[in-house]
Amino acid sequence: MIEPLRLTDQTPHAQGRSRLVFQHPHEHDWLVKVMRPDVIEQRFGSGAAWYKRRRRFGRYLSYVREIQEFVACWSSHQCSLPFLQKVIGLIETDLGLGLVIRAVRGGDGKLAKPLSLMIRDGDFDDAAAVALDEFMNHLLACDVIISDLNPGNIVYAHDLKLGHYFVMIDGLGNSNIWPLKSLSRRINRRSKLGRFKRLKAKMDRHLRQAGHSNPIGS
């Protein structure tokens, strides 16, 4: 019998709105996402809305959404796309079911820095602005569906082949009851354009708070 992967002895690399991210203890280039216990109780516990308790995939619905988008990209392009995180698979852990993804790294070999921290630390320069525009153009050109686009979900990666580029590591999939974005490219495109506009507005506010006088524009 294969024992669940032990994560409780580790300190998570990152904490999102609903998940914790751990380094895979046996694979340097893999990360493991697990649901936060407090989020499970809040959203899916005894006090949660009845329809959430009756969802077939329950607390793991976000995993299904991300895997669906990864498979959809393979179906459309016959490969994974460099500006989207790469899904390795699912794994049993002592913190529940985990989603294994390939780590995205920066030029220093460490985990790639989120856009939110780049803005905070004054690292968002002209080259990063160009890379962000390219990232948005790539997202717009493919059929991937986005549920949450914010500066914490985008990281600044680097490799010898592509140079510096942004990768979306969370917030993929259709979060609406009616899957209109998966049925209509026009609706999906319009949704993405709206999210791009809101992202840039949020970035402008953060840049000004960090002391930058020039907004990035719309």
Side-chain angles (χ1 to χ4, degrees):
M1 179 178 177
I2 299 176
E3 294 293 327
L5 192 70
R6 187 170 181 83
L7 298 176
T8 51
D9 297 333
Q10 291 193 48
T11 300
H13 271 308
Q15 175 175 305
R17 294 177 181 176
S18 62
R19 294 183 288 193
L20 300 172
V21 182
F22 291 88
Q23 171 67 51
H24 192 292
H26 309 308
E27 297 288 346
H28 175 69
D29 286 329
W30 292 3
L31 302 175
V32 184
K33 296 181 180 181
V34 297
M35 296 298 298
R36 285 170 43 187
D38 58 319
V39 172
I40 293 174
E41 176 57 32
Q42 178 184 0
R43 297 186 184 179
F44 305 99
S46 57
W50 65 269
Y51 65 89
K52 289 188 176 181
R53 296 198 304 271
R54 296 189 63 179
R55 282 176 173 170
R56 184 181 182 194
F57 297 109
R59 69 191 69 173
Y60 302 116
L61 181 59
S62 61
Y63 296 2
V64 176
R65 291 170 178 164
E66 292 184 42
I67 293 171
Q68 283 180 328
E69 293 310 305
F70 186 72
V71 173
C73 286
W74 263 97
S75 178
S76 297
H77 303 277
Q78 303 305 307
C79 65
S80 58
L81 301 176
F83 50 92
L84 300 175
Q85 70 175 11
K86 292 178 173 57
V87 174
I88 303 299
L90 298 169
I91 192 168
E92 296 180 6
T93 83
D94 58 352
L95 296 176
L97 188 64
L99 178 66
V100 184
I101 60 171
R102 186 171 296 280
V104 181
R105 302 194 180 277
D108 57 2
K110 298 179 181 179
L111 292 179
K113 197 170 190 177
L115 178 57
S116 56
L117 295 186
M118 293 179 67
I119 294 173
R120 184 199 69 181
D121 297 339
D123 295 333
F124 187 77
D125 54 17
D126 291 342
V130 171
L132 184 63
D133 283 339
E134 292 177 349
F135 164 78
M136 292 181 178
N137 288 335
H138 286 312
L139 284 181
L140 203 59
C142 72
D143 291 335
V144 68
I145 296 173
I146 299 171
S147 61
D148 183 17
L149 184 66
N150 70 71
N153 287 348
I154 307 167
V155 298
Y156 199 40
H158 179 272
D159 64 34
L160 295 178
K161 182 179 179 180
L162 298 175
H164 284 99
Y165 60 103
F166 281 100
V167 180
M168 190 167 181
I169 60 170
D170 209 347
L172 297 171
N174 196 339
S175 59
N176 297 325
I177 296 177
W178 304 107
L180 297 178
K181 287 184 284 189
S182 62
L183 299 174
S184 170
R185 288 183 175 179
R186 177 182 295 181
I187 292 175
N188 191 24
R189 178 183 175 87
R190 187 169 63 220
S191 173
K192 289 179 189 176
L193 289 172
R195 292 183 187 280
F196 295 165
K197 185 176 181 179
R198 291 191 291 275
L199 174 66
K200 288 190 174 184
K202 182 180 292 186
M203 289 178 61
D204 280 346
R205 292 194 298 271
H206 290 173
L207 285 167
R208 290 190 178 97
Q209 290 172 1
H212 295 269
S213 58
N214 295 324
I216 63 173
S218 59

